[in-house]
Amino acid sequence: MIYVSARVGREPLLHTFIAHPNEVAQLRRMLKLRLILWGLPDHVDAAQICVTELVTNVIRHVGEGTPVTLRVALSEPYLRLEVEDPDTRALPTLLAASTVSESGRGMALVDAMTDHRWGVILRGDSKVVWCELAVDASAACSQTNGPRCTRAEAILDLYGSWSLPRGRAMAGGGSLLSMTAAEEAAIGVMADVLHWLHAHGHDPDDVLDRAQTHFEAEISEVA
């Protein structure tokens, strides 16, 4: 038997993109969805503000078109946000919000939102600007998706128990399903359902669109 845990849904978010003002809105939406799935809807606004400021700093001081990596990880009792870019010279500076223009208050805002928990890590060919938001560990551990996640985990458990090669997803002694194996099982389930729909005369694309609409509506209700 293969076991699926709610921890599967709390794997770090890693997203690489090209720095551009148009990307910010997409990043905010992506971050909102991930935090809601992690059971942290109350931290969406603060996290969005911090990511917006960190990415905007890259756009302004490093330049549009810069390759950037966003990493979001939940490590009790903090939500850690990291923005990595290849320029090790343009370092963020904390300025007093009362003495600078609106465009220069980015790090002062991050500093206030994170209670001074931020910094810079210099690597050989890149820098990582990070910040951390305090979260309620008990809230982070509870999943807000309720029955739907429970049903999905049961389906993946059943599917993975016979569809994946024996021992493929087990790390020994009935351990939890790895993220990679869970994704493979989920893709397998969805592909099989699409085949079933096609075989019975249904339009798989139409069903996928309707499912996505239901999903987004329910996520919005949670938010």
Side-chain angles (χ1 to χ4, degrees):
M1 182 67 70
I2 296 177
Y3 297 91
V4 181
S5 166
R7 284 188 285 177
V8 167
R10 293 173 57 201
E11 291 291 321
L13 167 65
L14 190 65
H15 178 63
T16 299
F17 60 98
I18 300 299
H20 190 278
N22 293 340
E23 287 290 329
V24 175
Q26 179 182 348
L27 292 173
R28 291 172 64 90
R29 288 193 295 269
M30 180 188 305
L31 185 60
K32 177 180 180 178
L33 176 58
R34 181 56 62 99
L35 295 189
I36 289 173
L37 291 175
W38 281 354
L40 297 171
D42 294 340
H43 296 78
V44 168
D45 289 343
Q48 286 181 328
I49 290 172
C50 289
V51 166
T52 297
E53 295 302 332
L54 295 182
V55 173
T56 299
N57 269 354
V58 175
I59 296 173
R60 288 175 178 165
H61 303 295
V62 182
E64 292 186 18
T66 300
V68 181
T69 298
L70 169 67
R71 185 177 187 273
V72 183
L74 184 58
S75 180
E76 301 171 352
Y78 295 103
L79 175 70
R80 185 178 177 94
L81 310 169
E82 298 181 353
V83 172
E84 182 175 7
D85 70 74
D87 193 326
T88 59
R89 298 168 299 174
L91 303 180
T93 302
L94 179 61
L95 302 175
S98 60
T99 62
V100 296
S101 64
E102 185 69 25
S103 62
R105 298 180 181 178
M107 293 313 300
L109 185 56
V110 171
D111 184 67
M113 298 293 292
T114 62
D115 195 24
H116 317 300
R117 293 189 63 87
W118 69 274
V120 181
I121 301 173
L122 292 177
R123 295 174 176 168
D125 55 358
S126 67
K127 74 171 179 290
V128 176
V129 183
W130 62 271
C131 63
E132 292 181 332
L133 295 167
V135 298
D136 182 346
S138 61
C141 289
S142 64
Q143 294 296 305
T144 59
N145 299 295
R148 288 197 179 276
C149 274
T150 301
R151 289 197 297 269
E153 288 168 4
I155 292 170
L156 293 179
D157 183 17
L158 178 62
Y159 189 90
S161 66
W162 59 265
S163 65
L164 295 177
R166 186 174 182 82
R168 170 77 176 275
M170 303 291 285
S175 62
L176 295 172
L177 183 65
S178 70
M179 183 58 181
T180 299
E183 288 181 353
E184 289 182 6
I187 291 170
V189 169
M190 290 185 283
D192 284 352
V193 171
L194 293 178
H195 278 294
W196 184 91
L197 289 168
H198 178 73
H200 288 78
H202 300 283
D203 182 354
D205 288 334
D206 177 63
V207 175
L208 281 176
D209 288 341
R210 288 160 54 195
Q212 181 71 18
T213 299
H214 282 297
F215 171 72
E216 291 176 353
E218 290 171 3
I219 288 295
S220 297
E221 290 177 2
V222 173

